[in-house]
Amino acid sequence: MRATGKDGFLYSVKFQDVIVGGSDVTVEKSGFCKIKSKASTGSGIPEKSSSVTDPNAISLGVGMVYWAKAGQALAEGDSLIPMELKRISFVTDVSDSSSSSSHDVTTQEDIDTGTRSYAPGAFKERTGSINGLVDTNSAEQKELLKEYRMFSENDGDSVTVYQSTTSVHHYMLSRAEKVPEGESEMWEYFPVITEQLQMDKPLDGAQNFNFNYRVDGSNKPMLMYIVKDVE
């Protein structure tokens, strides 16, 4: 499937109560889960395909996210954190850029070739921006604003002040959700930190709300291809 912009959305993630594995414990509802622990033997968490020969292919591990199927048994030692997804109302588009580094390892042995030699760097960077509109009813937008300013909420009876704080924002980005049976959906667990926020107020027209982000590797971001018939 060749995905277009209308085929994907950005969601906020809310982590639910942990499912602890044991005798006769199964996943009640299909959905994305983050692995909190994995049994050392006999785990109910899926292993990598036996037909894959890529030396870099591994099985799911602690901290990773995957689509758990309803009825999947969880052994003692397994535990999953279900993820509740909510489509973010204020977002219009998401930009995403990946970059790498290289190191010049040229020596005098390379003089005869006339070209320099390079080695790939160990780390990759992913940055981008999430763009949208000011939405006074968006809880997700308030969480972002809280990083850059203190604000209050007045409900008529009480006034609550929220102090500025920083955090990792856990998002799920879909690029292809509604695909024909047998084809792959494309999802990405997308934990980010913000680096800059811009909230314009023009004299006329839409009020834009944009922020720059950097993907947080410590939370194990994951791009996922999920065959449609997983249900």
Side-chain angles (χ1 to χ4, degrees):
M1 174 181 175
R2 297 177 182 176
T4 62
K6 66 181 177 62
D7 296 315
F9 302 94
L10 183 68
Y11 297 84
S12 63
V13 172
K14 188 174 183 180
F15 294 106
Q16 304 298 299
D17 294 337
V18 178
I19 304 172
V20 179
S23 177
D24 298 325
V25 175
T26 61
V27 175
E28 291 186 5
K29 182 181 178 182
S30 296
F32 290 106
C33 292
K34 195 174 183 74
I35 301 172
K36 183 177 181 181
S37 65
K38 183 177 179 180
S40 56
T41 58
S43 173
I45 296 169
E47 298 293 329
K48 73 182 183 75
S49 172
S50 59
S51 64
V52 174
T53 58
D54 187 330
N56 292 313
I58 61 174
S59 294
L60 289 165
V62 173
M64 294 182 181
V65 168
Y66 79 107
W67 177 267
K69 297 174 63 175
Q72 174 191 319
L74 295 177
E76 184 174 349
D78 291 337
S79 59
L80 301 178
I81 308 173
M83 301 163 69
E84 179 182 312
L85 306 188
K86 178 186 175 185
R87 190 182 298 180
I88 303 177
S89 62
F90 73 85
V91 172
T92 55
D93 57 88
V94 179
S95 72
D96 183 11
S97 177
S98 303
S99 62
S100 181
S101 62
S102 60
H103 304 291
D104 188 339
V105 292
T106 307
T107 70
Q108 63 182 9
E109 294 299 315
D110 298 303
I111 290 177
D112 291 341
T113 69
T115 58
R116 291 185 175 275
S117 296
Y118 293 92
F123 302 103
K124 315 297 180 186
E125 293 281 348
R126 285 188 57 205
T127 58
S129 63
I130 294 176
N131 308 309
L133 304 173
V134 173
D135 183 349
T136 60
N137 295 315
S138 172
E140 293 82 13
Q141 198 165 100
K142 289 176 183 176
E143 287 299 312
L144 292 161
L145 285 169
K146 192 186 295 182
E147 294 201 10
Y148 294 91
R149 62 201 74 186
M150 186 166 63
F151 68 84
S152 67
E153 287 186 314
N154 186 332
D155 63 10
D157 296 318
S158 60
V159 178
T160 304
V161 177
Y162 295 90
Q163 299 183 84
S164 179
T165 183
T166 58
S167 63
V168 175
H169 300 276
H170 298 271
Y171 297 138
M172 189 73 77
L173 178 67
S174 66
R175 293 184 180 273
E177 288 187 35
K178 298 177 181 179
V179 301
E181 185 175 348
E183 294 196 20
S184 294
E185 296 182 6
M186 190 176 183
W187 291 81
E188 184 166 11
Y189 172 50
F190 200 59
V192 305
I193 59 172
T194 68
E195 297 191 320
Q196 182 185 28
L197 185 146
Q198 184 172 351
M199 188 167 62
D200 296 329
K201 211 301 288 178
L203 183 63
D204 189 21
Q207 294 189 38
N208 295 321
F209 184 97
N210 310 312
F211 66 94
N212 296 335
Y213 68 81
R214 188 176 300 273
V215 174
D216 173 32
S218 68
N219 272 288
K220 293 183 170 57
M222 179 77 74
L223 180 64
M224 293 165 279
Y225 294 89
I226 306 167
V227 177
K228 183 64 176 182
D229 61 0
V230 291
E231 294 289 354

